[in-house]
Amino acid sequence: MHILHTPEALIAYRKTVSGTIGLVPTMGALHAGHLSLVEHARDDNRHVITTIFVNPTQFGQGEDFAAYPRTLDADLQKLADAGVDAVFTPTPDNMYPQGYQTYVTVEHITQQLEGAMRPTHFRGVTTIVNKLFNLAQPTIAYFGQKDAQQVCVIRRMVRDLHIPTEIAIIPTAREADGLAMSSRNVYLSGEQRASAVCLSRGMMRASALYHEGERQPHRLLQAVADEIDNEPLAQIDYIAVNTARTLAPIAVIPDMDWGRGDMPNDDEPLLLSLTVRFGKTRLLDNTLLPHHLNTRAGLTQFLGAG
Ligand code: AMP
C-alpha cells in the first residue's frame, strides 16, 4: 500500500495508474462504516485511494478539531487489510499553505440543518473534497448516508461544477443496538452510550408510522422527539423532515424559520434527520422514508438527486 503525505506525491502516484479509481475521503479513526465505503470502492474499481485528513476548515471555532480522535497506525493497518492501493494523509500545512485563499461554496442547501448550526462547515467540506477530486481524479467517490446533507451538498457541487466523478452513497453502518457508527462515539460515557440508542429507536418509530400511512410531518417529528425526551441525558438540537431529493424544508423541531414548507405529494421520498447532544457530543442520524429506500440504489436515486 502506498502512503502519500503530500499533494505532489498523490499527483505523481495518480500518473502511474490507469483504469477506474475509487476515492474514499475520511478523517480517520476508522470504523466499520468507513470500511464499508472501502469495500464498495474495492468491488467497483481497479484502484482504491483512501484519504485520512482531519480537515481544519470544516471545524468551527470552539469545535473539536484538536481533540478529534487520531489513530493513524491502526487506520493504516485496517486499510492495508481491506486491500486499499494508496492512502493520502497530508498535513494541514500541505493542504493550506501560507497565502491560501480559495474556497468553494454551495449557496442555498448549506444554510439549513447542519449548516444553520455550523455556518462555515460545508464551505470547508466542499473545498477539501474539490481539492481531493483534483488530486485523485476519481472515477467514483464514496460518501456515507450518515452525513446526508453532506451528500446533497457534494452532489449539488458536482453537478454545478461539471465534475466528472460519480458519487456513490453507502447506507449507514450501525452498532448491534442501532446506534450509527461514528468516530465521535468514543466521546460518550457508558451512560450516554446506553441512552444514545434513542436516536435510532425514534427513527424506527417514525418509519413505522409512515409505513402505516401517517403523512403529517409534525406527527412523525413528535414520534422521534418522544423517544428522545424519555432519555434525560439527551438534548435535541433539531429533528427535521425535508424532501430527500432537494432538501426542501417541510417541518422541524424546534420550529425554526428554515423549517416551514409544504408537504409534498404522498409519494415524494422524505429525509428525516436529527441531531442530539449528549453533554458536548453531538450525534447525527437520518433515514429515508419510506424505509426500504435506505439502500445504495435507493439513496443514489433519491438523496440529493436534484
Ligand atoms: P468522517 O471520517 O466521519 O468524515 O467520514 C468519512 C466518510 O465515512 C463520510 O462519507 C461519512 O459519511 C462516512 N461514514 C461515517 N460514518 C459512517 C457510517 N456509520 N456508515 C457509513 N458511512 C459512514
Side-chain angles (χ1 to χ4, degrees):
M1 187 169 76
H2 298 261
I3 300 175
L4 311 166
H5 294 288
T6 62
E8 294 72 25
L10 179 50
I11 290 169
Y13 169 78
R14 181 65 184 84
K15 286 187 179 147
T16 68
V17 296
S18 58
T20 54
I21 295 192
L23 178 73
V24 182
T26 82
M27 298 204 298
L30 300 181
H31 51 63
H34 297 115
L35 296 178
S36 138
L37 270 60
V38 169
E39 269 168 42
H40 280 268
R42 188 66 284 168
D43 288 348
D44 296 345
N45 300 279
R46 179 136 173 228
H47 304 278
V48 177
I49 303 175
T50 301
T51 70
I52 297 178
F53 179 57
V54 185
N55 174 36
T57 61
Q58 71 190 69
F59 288 78
Q61 291 250 325
E63 292 185 2
D64 58 343
F65 174 70
Y68 196 83
R70 289 163 170 86
T71 58
L72 186 60
D73 290 344
D75 291 350
L76 293 176
Q77 188 59 55
K78 287 176 187 169
L79 295 175
D81 293 346
V84 165
D85 298 285
V87 180
F88 179 50
T89 169
T91 62
D93 284 347
N94 281 331
M95 295 309 278
Y96 301 103
Q98 186 126 47
Y100 190 89
Q101 50 188 293
T102 305
Y103 294 88
V104 177
T105 308
V106 173
E107 300 214 339
H108 296 303
I109 57 170
T110 54
Q111 304 294 309
Q112 53 178 337
L113 302 170
E114 281 305 284
M117 303 274 139
R118 308 177 69 190
T120 57
H121 173 66
F122 286 115
R123 169 186 189 256
V125 169
T126 42
T127 299
I128 193 67
V129 167
N130 224 286
K131 287 156 69 75
L132 296 175
F133 283 6
N134 285 335
L135 292 167
Q137 299 181 16
T139 317
I140 311 179
Y142 296 79
F143 294 90
Q145 172 191 6
K146 168 82 189 335
D147 300 287
Q149 189 179 10
Q150 167 172 284
V151 166
C152 297
V153 169
I154 288 169
R155 287 187 102 177
R156 185 76 252 169
M157 173 183 82
V158 163
R159 285 197 298 273
D160 288 353
L161 297 183
H162 310 290
I163 295 175
T165 290
E166 187 184 318
I167 303 299
I169 312 164
I170 308 304
T172 302
R174 298 180 180 280
E175 304 288 356
D177 67 357
L179 178 67
M181 290 185 182
S182 163
S183 305
R184 290 186 167 105
N185 290 351
V186 298
Y187 296 151
L188 298 171
S189 70
E191 232 183 325
Q192 290 171 332
R193 169 66 188 82
S195 47
V197 69
C198 67
L199 279 80
S200 57
R201 209 191 292 134
M203 291 194 316
M204 276 164 50
R205 271 193 63 184
S207 283
L209 282 178
Y210 183 93
H211 189 69
E212 289 160 15
E214 180 59 70
R215 292 293 183 275
Q216 287 300 315
H218 277 98
R219 296 229 178 92
L220 298 170
L221 292 178
Q222 198 55 52
V224 186
D226 287 347
E227 284 293 334
I228 293 165
D229 288 341
N230 273 338
E231 293 293 342
L233 300 179
Q235 174 80 43
I236 296 170
D237 255 4
Y238 63 80
I239 310 172
V241 178
N242 294 66
T243 63
R245 279 182 239 254
T246 64
L247 289 193
I250 295 168
V252 66
I253 289 177
D255 208 348
M256 301 173 190
D257 59 3
W258 42 276
R260 290 197 203 114
D262 295 326
M263 194 63 177
N265 69 52
D266 270 6
D267 298 333
E268 182 67 26
L270 302 177
L271 175 70
L272 172 67
S273 59
L274 69 162
T275 305
V276 178
R277 264 177 220 274
F278 291 83
K280 283 191 201 150
T281 306
R282 292 178 81 234
L283 299 185
L284 276 68
D285 209 341
N286 68 79
T287 187
L288 290 195
L289 302 174
H291 191 258
H292 70 82
L293 295 180
N294 292 294
T295 60
R296 177 170 171 180
L299 292 161
T300 303
Q301 188 177 353
F302 293 110
L303 183 61

